Amino acid sequence: MDAHSRGRADDIDPADQWVLNPNTGNYELRLDHSAGESSSPSRTATAEGTGRRGGSRTGSSREGSGRRGSGSRERERDEVPDGPRQVPGQRSRRSSQGGRGAAEPPSAGRRKRKPQKTRKKKALLWTGGVMAFVVVAGSAGAYALYQKLNGNIDAIDVGDAGSKNVVTDGPMNILIIGTDKRTGKGNEGYGDKGSEGHADTTILFHVSEDRTNATAMSIPRDLMTEIPECETKNEDGTTTVIPGTPNQRFNTSLGQNGRNPGCTMKTVENITGLKPDHFMMVDFNAVKSLTSAVGGVKVCMAKPIDDPKSHLKLPQGESKVQGEQALALLRTRDSFGNRSDLDRIKVQQQFLGSMIREMKSSDTLTNPKKLYSLADAATKALTVDTAIGDAKKLMTLAEEIGKVDTKNISFLTMPVIDNPAEPKPITVVVDPVKGEQLFAMMRSDTSLTEVKQKEKAAKGKQAALLKGPKAEAADVRVDVLNGGEIPGAAGSTVTWLQTVQGVPKSTNKANAPEKIKKTTLEYAPNQADQARALAEMMGLPATAMKQGTADAEGLEAMVLTLGADFKGAGQLITGPAKPPKDIEKASADKAVCAQ
């Protein structure tokens, strides 16, 4: 890796070069064959000093110790134990985050003390060990590691399908795509020969605005939906517009007719009303290389598995899988439930939860060689959008996602029903009721866990406006104005109210005098039952309710003004407080045996 600058062989494994510098008491990554010899401060950077002084590879280790007083280094020499010692994972994690100046060297008492256990297990970016890169990149030799890992990453320009910012202040949506593309030796039996790969396994990963929780929603590959028009960037800089097609399988949003991941992002936004900020794509090789790099992933089977199609053989109970066996587990459809793709998705979710736990285990985080192998495999496996197309940006994104506690990551599957257009259903469609309820929850950033987050609904009297009897839909009178960003929103809402909700006394009043951010409903006290009925239909929050002081006279109508939070007719503005009934969800911190 560092042969051109050091004159050494290019097969040096930097994870094997960690040594303890007796002059500083810090661990250092030696990118030459001098491991085991004492280090000169001018040749290497200390593991802690590098991250805190901007990543310099030649920073003086004496500079930090000088701040601690003249006797500090002498005490360090007296306390250095004989023999090799494992690199503390906690040191590397701190140095990657920047901090409070050079760290004080560990005393003998501090070395003997066991690390405190913490209840807050921060979530990994489970798509491929990107957090492993965060840990490794903050250590000594970070620059060389950065150069190596950065060269591994492939990027695709998705135009306006994603965000140009690495992270946002609000909620973030990351689309994880696992393709059935054939690459590499041993993958001849998988996927379509010569195909660019389809969206075989797709998960929309929604991270809350306050970073306290995340929802990972799997999207069935056999979902029938509209693939909207999308643009792809060509190598010569030109743009190709790919026409949209109705009633297509979701997995054809990638790889069919020249569609790239940006088209899959557009399709997800069209279905859910949630715009993905970024995508991360992996193929079959990623599963094999990542599970091997982490040393295997624990899985649990409710019964013995012997699948001749996938060649998967697993005993009842707990075991570890990696490489080809891990891929076989994620691809088999005949060993679980009713042998459908939906049951396979459940197994995939359980596997990913276990992989998160394995990546966060002390066995991984305190093992430099395993960390490096994981980061190397991860970056080789990833294809991402250009906005996060280098190692530094990926590190920034991974650190942001890493703020989420593992126990507050909920895995679930998009609510679907059998396709009513098929005599013998093979495909599925979005559940028109439960699907929209779940999408609305995610759009309004409502947690699916018990985590305490900032209260989004109004308190006290304002919240009470939604409580009480509701009028019949036929008795609701409302004038609708468009104060949002979507052209024709008032007209489409009135049509939806009349044809779907049974509100014939709704009127299109065209554009509002000015644009507003939040939708409002103005009504009189004697129209409260009508207001509550309309609020339930549209998912209006309590903060949208604007009750006047004087009663309405005669046939006077309420006034609904659509704001920038309005996403389309039929899409709830704010989701329910709890997910729809019968939606199965699992937590990333709990092991479950596959049925």
Side-chain angles (χ1 to χ4, degrees):
M1 184 179 74
D2 202 36
H4 66 281
S5 59
R6 299 273 180 134
R8 303 294 183 183
D10 59 7
D11 59 352
I12 296 173
D13 186 347
D16 288 331
Q17 307 300 312
W18 288 94
V19 295
L20 181 69
N21 187 337
N23 294 325
T24 65
N26 288 319
Y27 287 88
E28 300 173 356
L29 183 59
R30 197 72 46 74
L31 297 181
D32 57 20
H33 289 314
S34 62
E37 302 173 9
S38 63
S39 173
S40 167
S42 64
R43 288 287 299 271
T44 58
T46 64
E48 301 231 338
T50 301
R52 292 191 172 98
R53 288 193 291 270
S56 171
R57 299 178 63 206
T58 59
S60 171
S61 58
R62 294 184 180 181
E63 181 181 327
S65 61
R67 298 174 189 167
R68 296 189 292 270
S70 60
S72 296
R73 283 189 290 143
E74 291 299 322
R75 287 196 297 271
E76 288 172 19
R77 293 191 187 102
D78 292 341
E79 294 164 356
V80 172
D82 294 332
R85 189 169 143 213
Q86 192 176 34
V87 181
Q90 181 64 31
R91 285 174 172 266
S92 296
R93 288 197 298 276
R94 283 199 321 228
S95 64
S96 69
Q97 295 168 355
R100 300 165 295 195
E104 184 179 344
S107 66
R110 286 178 65 186
R111 282 201 303 275
K112 293 178 181 177
R113 186 175 62 190
K114 293 182 178 179
Q116 292 183 351
K117 292 184 178 180
T118 176
R119 295 177 61 189
K120 187 174 183 181
K121 299 177 181 178
K122 291 183 178 179
L124 280 177
L125 186 53
W126 43 262
T127 48
V130 177
M131 277 297 287
F133 168 68
V134 175
V135 177
V136 175
S139 308
Y143 178 77
L145 288 172
Y146 168 77
Q147 292 293 88
K148 169 68 167 63
L149 298 177
N150 195 50
N152 291 342
I153 303 168
D154 290 327
I156 294 175
D157 188 347
V158 295
D160 65 351
S163 171
K164 301 303 180 185
N165 299 319
V166 177
V167 299
T168 64
D169 293 334
M172 293 192 302
N173 297 303
I174 301 167
L175 193 64
I176 314 301
I177 307 172
T179 75
D180 56 1
K181 182 179 181 179
R182 287 185 181 187
T183 60
K185 185 178 180 181
N187 291 330
E188 294 81 5
Y190 303 116
D192 298 331
K193 187 174 182 179
S195 170
E196 287 299 314
H198 298 104
D200 191 65
T201 300
T202 307
I203 297 177
L204 181 61
F205 196 72
H206 174 85
V207 183
S208 68
E209 179 176 0
D210 58 13
R211 309 302 189 243
T212 62
N213 64 93
T215 300
M217 182 180 70
S218 295
I219 303 174
R221 53 169 292 172
D222 295 329
L223 176 75
M224 297 301 289
T225 187
E226 176 189 2
I227 311 295
E229 178 184 287
C230 60
E231 295 183 353
T232 60
K233 299 286 185 178
N234 303 315
E235 292 184 1
D236 61 2
T238 60
T239 299
T240 298
V241 177
I242 303 174
T245 52
N247 202 33
Q248 297 288 312
R249 288 184 190 243
F250 173 81
N251 69 334
T252 63
S253 64
L254 175 68
Q256 198 88 354
N257 301 326
R259 297 187 182 108
N260 68 11
C263 299
T264 307
M265 296 169 78
K266 290 277 191 181
T267 303
V268 170
E269 182 180 5
N270 191 53
I271 296 170
T272 65
L274 291 151
K275 181 175 181 176
D277 295 291
H278 304 292
F279 84 86
M280 295 181 177
M281 184 169 66
V282 295
D283 61 20
F284 292 140
N285 275 337
V287 175
K288 295 196 288 187
S289 62
L290 291 171
T291 53
S292 297
V294 82
V297 175
K298 290 181 181 179
V299 295
C300 182
M301 301 294 114
K303 61 182 181 181
I305 302 297
D306 187 355
D307 183 0
K309 291 184 178 180
S310 65
H311 308 292
L312 176 66
K313 289 186 178 182
L314 290 174
Q316 182 177 355
E318 191 174 273
S319 57
K320 264 194 172 185
V321 296
Q322 64 180 359
E324 192 71 35
Q325 195 177 34
L327 180 58
L329 173 64
L330 295 183
R331 289 193 54 77
T332 183
R333 296 177 64 154
D334 294 330
S335 301
F336 307 105
N338 61 6
R339 303 168 67 183
S340 71
D341 184 53
L342 298 180
D343 286 300
R344 182 177 66 163
I345 285 174
K346 293 179 184 177
V347 176
Q348 292 170 347
Q349 292 172 348
Q350 293 162 11
F351 177 88
L352 290 171
S354 182
M355 193 168 184
I356 289 176
R357 295 191 295 274
E358 186 63 40
M359 289 179 178
K360 285 298 293 180
S361 70
S362 58
D363 182 55
T364 298
L365 293 178
T366 59
N367 187 326
K369 186 167 185 176
K370 184 179 285 190
L371 278 174
Y372 174 78
S373 297
L374 188 55
D376 188 45
T379 48
K380 283 179 179 176
L382 281 175
T383 299
V384 299
D385 56 283
T386 50
I388 53 172
D390 66 52
K392 188 177 294 184
K393 292 176 180 177
L394 272 177
M395 183 176 70
T396 300
L397 180 61
E399 287 177 326
E400 191 73 6
I401 296 173
K403 295 176 182 178
V404 181
D405 195 323
T406 309
K407 70 180 180 180
N408 293 328
I409 300 177
S410 297
F411 286 101
L412 49 79
T413 303
M414 177 183 288
V416 294
I417 58 174
D418 288 339
N419 188 352
E422 297 173 342
K424 186 178 180 180
I426 298 175
T427 60
V428 295
V429 296
V430 176
D431 186 311
V433 177
K434 295 179 182 178
E436 176 51 34
Q437 290 176 342
L438 177 61
F439 303 156
M441 284 190 72
M442 295 173 71
R443 288 195 300 267
S444 59
D445 202 25
T446 302
S447 173
L448 273 70
T449 69
E450 297 300 321
V451 63
K452 293 181 180 179
Q453 59 180 158
K454 295 177 181 178
E455 190 65 39
K456 290 181 170 52
K459 300 280 186 179
K461 293 181 180 180
Q462 189 69 20
L465 295 176
L466 293 173
K467 298 177 181 179
K470 300 177 181 65
E472 295 294 327
D475 295 329
V476 173
R477 292 180 177 272
V478 61
D479 292 338
V480 183
L481 292 86
N482 183 15
E485 304 296 331
I486 302 175
S492 62
T493 298
V494 168
T495 300
W496 175 76
L497 286 171
Q498 293 177 350
T499 59
V500 178
Q501 296 296 322
V503 183
K505 301 169 185 176
S506 51
T507 306
N508 175 11
K509 293 295 184 177
N511 292 330
E514 59 184 3
K515 300 287 186 181
I516 60 174
K517 292 183 177 180
K518 300 292 184 180
T519 298
T520 61
L521 177 61
E522 300 172 71
Y523 62 97
N526 62 343
Q527 296 172 322
D529 58 342
Q530 296 181 50
R532 287 189 287 266
L534 186 63
E536 183 177 60
M537 295 175 199
M538 300 195 61
L540 297 178
T543 51
M545 311 294 279
K546 307 297 180 185
Q547 181 175 285
T549 55
D551 283 346
E553 298 181 1
L555 302 178
E556 186 177 349
M558 301 181 294
V559 177
L560 173 69
T561 306
L562 305 174
D565 57 348
F566 175 80
K567 302 302 180 185
Q571 294 189 22
L572 300 179
I573 291 175
T574 298
K578 296 182 179 180
K581 293 181 179 179
D582 304 325
I583 287 187
E584 296 183 31
K585 62 185 181 75
S587 174
D589 71 330
K590 295 180 181 178
V592 180
C593 289
Q595 301 288 331

